[in-house]
Amino acid sequence: MSNKIEQVQLDVDVNGEKISRMIEPRLSLVDFLRNELELTGSHVGCEHGVCGACTVLVDGVIVRGCLMLAIQTNGAEVMTIEGQSDSGAITDLQEAFHERNALQCGFCTPGMLLTSTELLQKKSDPSREEIREYLSGNYCRCTGYEAIVDAVEAVAAVRRDV
Amino acid sequence: MKPAAFNYAKPTSVGEALGLLAKHDGDAKVLAGGQSLIPTLNMRLSTPSLLIDINGIGDLSGISVMGGEVRIGALTRHVEIENSSKIAKHVPLLALAMPSIAHPAIRNRGTIGGSIAMADPAAELPACLCALDSEIEITGPAGVRGVAAKDFFKSLYETDAGENEILTAIKIPKIAKGYRSAFDELARRHGDYAMCGVVAHGKCDGDIISDFRLVFFAVGGTPVIATDAMDAMEGMAVNDESIIAAQKALDNDLETFSDLHCSATLRMHYAKVLTKRVLTSLVKP
């Protein structure tokens, strides 16, 4: 079917920076971040919402970057792993992942960090089971998850004591 | 895996959205949370020429209690239902089901209306609505109409909603005194589509169950109301004997199928195991 596609205007705040672009409506949020803005910390895995590698924050909550169109973030605030990392807000979590070998290839790590961050905001003392449940939407093919759960649990304990 | 090209519109009223649907007659899709629709677009199972994003229609979202029922706007996100004290109090079955619906990042975006309109046979919400005598509110060119949940799900991904209509709300009766609900499912990974799932609802007097509902999901093309098992349990005390009778009745109620995740025989076994679990949970002091 012939269908003339009209580009749409996107005005969005990404990691604190105002961005304005004309884009194709079908462009996913994660493809926009990676290909247009060169923010390649968000990864493209399954492209249908199963793996969690494309996790980013939109208006403060985690979403799948592959299950949202870029144009749907018009007027919104997007935060990627680059923004979170530069802000220093998750340095302790990043260090705990490093210390405990909670990553090997690192493909899932940005999604793991952002998802764990949301969990720790909601719950300061999650059980190991609750950590596993919250991270259930993020696949890791290297670690077997045990070290990831260890890292999140350890950071929760340290943050509670501070 | 990228979607075919489409145009994009973001109306600010239901009327405007209906106008766009009518104009594109069958060639437009409504975008709510997008958590089921966008995968189908990415896989090119669906190639609409226009996507109508209804997220700009403010009055489609929210949970309100009116008289004997709870009204949930179609655009209400799963996370809002999960955290709602009104839902926990008046529709405990939904509160029980929510944590099993996908993963946190998906519950932050996905909507109740989108899940119901998509009618995925493995989705939890359609079965919950069927068990609770809910009504689906649909708005179309001719106005607003209501359809009972059990009549809404026609077959695999097929519902009573027409191509030029929009699902606008869900109405669920408040749980009555003495009634209880239970929910359980089995999935390979928490939050993934279930291999078998069930919801139970009924009046519990001690361990005696009446007005009993047992509805399965992920075992057929639509939610399956297990009428024989319901009859077997009606007015009975939950004990080993009655549970076995209900489990036996499932051989009539369900026509399980085999897929990548499990065989038809295993799926039937799961249905029976889950039935025991929800019955036991329903009458647990």
Side-chain angles (χ1 to χ4, degrees):
Chain A
M1 190 175 311
S2 76
N3 182 27
K4 191 177 177 308
I5 302 302
E6 286 172 30
Q7 295 219 328
V8 284
Q9 166 86 30
L10 170 65
D11 295 298
V12 58
D13 182 306
V14 179
N15 297 333
E17 195 185 329
K18 300 255 179 275
I19 308 278
S20 270
R21 294 285 163 97
M22 290 300 289
I23 57 166
E24 257 201 87
R26 66 167 156 174
L27 185 65
S28 74
L29 175 57
V30 68
D31 282 343
F32 173 71
L33 294 168
R34 288 176 58 83
N35 302 340
E36 301 268 331
L37 306 185
E38 296 184 358
L39 293 167
T40 53
S42 314
H43 295 153
V44 178
C46 70
E47 292 182 272
H48 66 291
V50 176
C51 78
C54 62
T55 305
V56 293
L57 298 169
V58 173
D59 288 335
V61 299
I62 53 166
V63 303
R64 298 283 206 237
C66 72
L67 295 191
M68 221 175 144
L69 301 171
I71 187 60
Q72 288 186 282
T73 63
N74 193 32
E77 285 181 14
V78 176
M79 174 81 87
T80 67
I81 188 62
E82 288 89 346
Q84 274 285 32
S85 187
D86 291 349
S87 76
I90 58 166
T91 307
D92 55 349
L93 200 56
Q94 289 168 307
E95 280 171 358
F97 268 58
H98 184 197
E99 277 164 23
R100 289 168 185 272
N101 279 330
L103 69 155
Q104 186 174 313
C105 80
F107 192 82
C108 72
T109 314
M112 287 290 179
L113 290 168
L114 294 179
T115 306
S116 320
T117 300
E118 184 169 283
L119 168 65
L120 294 177
Q121 281 164 356
K122 285 187 174 176
K123 223 171 166 108
S124 62
D125 189 13
S127 66
R128 290 183 71 82
E129 197 178 328
E130 285 169 329
I131 295 170
R132 280 187 179 275
E133 196 169 312
Y134 215 84
L135 291 173
S136 66
N138 293 69
Y139 271 134
C140 173
R141 305 283 76 166
C142 303
T143 65
Y145 303 100
E146 200 67 16
I148 295 174
V149 178
D150 289 347
V152 176
E153 192 181 32
V155 169
V158 171
R159 286 190 186 177
R160 281 197 307 277
D161 287 344
V162 170
Chain B
M1 219 167 65
K2 311 292 178 193
F6 47 74
N7 277 309
Y8 173 85
K10 193 172 180 182
T12 52
S13 70
V14 173
E16 196 186 334
L18 289 172
L20 287 165
L21 276 173
K23 195 175 146 198
H24 287 81
D25 198 26
D27 202 22
K29 284 267 182 221
V30 173
L31 173 64
Q35 304 302 288
S36 306
L37 177 63
I38 293 186
T40 68
L41 297 178
N42 285 356
M43 292 185 237
R44 301 206 179 192
L45 297 171
S46 172
T47 54
S49 67
L50 177 73
L51 224 52
I52 303 171
D53 182 352
I54 58 170
N55 287 276
I57 307 175
D59 51 5
L60 279 185
S61 183
I63 301 163
S64 53
V65 182
M66 285 184 295
E69 66 181 21
V70 178
R71 185 179 193 277
I72 309 176
L75 210 54
T76 308
R77 300 194 195 278
H78 298 323
V79 66
E80 293 168 56
I81 296 172
E82 188 177 1
N83 295 333
S84 164
S85 55
K86 287 177 205 162
I87 294 295
K89 184 174 173 199
H90 299 303
V91 198
L93 179 56
L94 283 194
L96 289 172
M98 277 299 150
S100 297
I101 298 176
H103 312 287
I106 290 173
R107 293 202 291 276
N108 281 340
R109 288 294 305 165
T111 66
I112 187 166
S115 174
I116 299 305
M118 183 61 79
D120 191 297
E124 292 83 358
L125 289 170
C128 293
L129 298 192
C130 287
L132 297 177
D133 295 333
S134 316
E135 188 182 292
I136 318 282
E137 182 194 286
I138 301 166
T139 307
V144 180
R145 66 189 179 97
V147 184
K150 63 180 172 48
D151 301 323
F152 180 76
F153 303 100
K154 296 283 186 201
S155 66
L156 193 65
Y157 300 111
E158 223 183 285
T159 72
D160 191 61
E163 277 179 337
N164 294 339
E165 293 182 312
I166 294 177
L167 200 161
T168 40
I170 320 290
K171 294 178 191 167
I172 310 172
K174 281 189 199 165
I175 192 165
K177 203 164 182 283
Y179 280 70
R180 296 178 78 166
S181 301
F183 172 95
D184 210 343
E185 69 172 39
L186 285 163
R188 292 270 176 211
R189 174 178 73 154
H190 179 91
D192 281 359
Y193 279 126
M195 294 178 286
C196 181
V198 67
V199 301
H201 183 76
K203 190 170 188 193
C204 303
D205 188 1
D207 59 358
I208 296 179
I209 293 185
S210 56
D211 195 15
F212 178 55
R213 312 294 164 83
L214 191 69
V215 184
F216 286 84
F217 54 95
V219 298
T222 62
V224 180
I225 301 171
T227 48
D228 282 18
M230 280 157 49
D231 288 346
M233 282 310 300
E234 190 58 34
M236 303 292 284
V238 175
N239 53 37
D240 289 349
E241 206 180 330
S242 64
I243 288 172
I244 289 169
Q247 287 173 324
K248 227 176 214 150
L250 293 180
D251 290 324
N252 264 339
D253 285 323
L254 308 179
E255 279 180 57
T256 56
F257 58 93
S258 299
D259 66 5
L260 190 65
H261 302 291
C262 67
S263 67
T265 313
L266 186 56
R267 194 166 253 117
M268 179 62 88
H269 174 70
Y270 285 159
K272 291 177 178 177
V273 169
L274 289 174
T275 296
K276 181 173 182 174
R277 286 190 193 170
V278 289
L279 280 169
T280 311
S281 151
L282 214 52
V283 295
K284 201 166 66 183

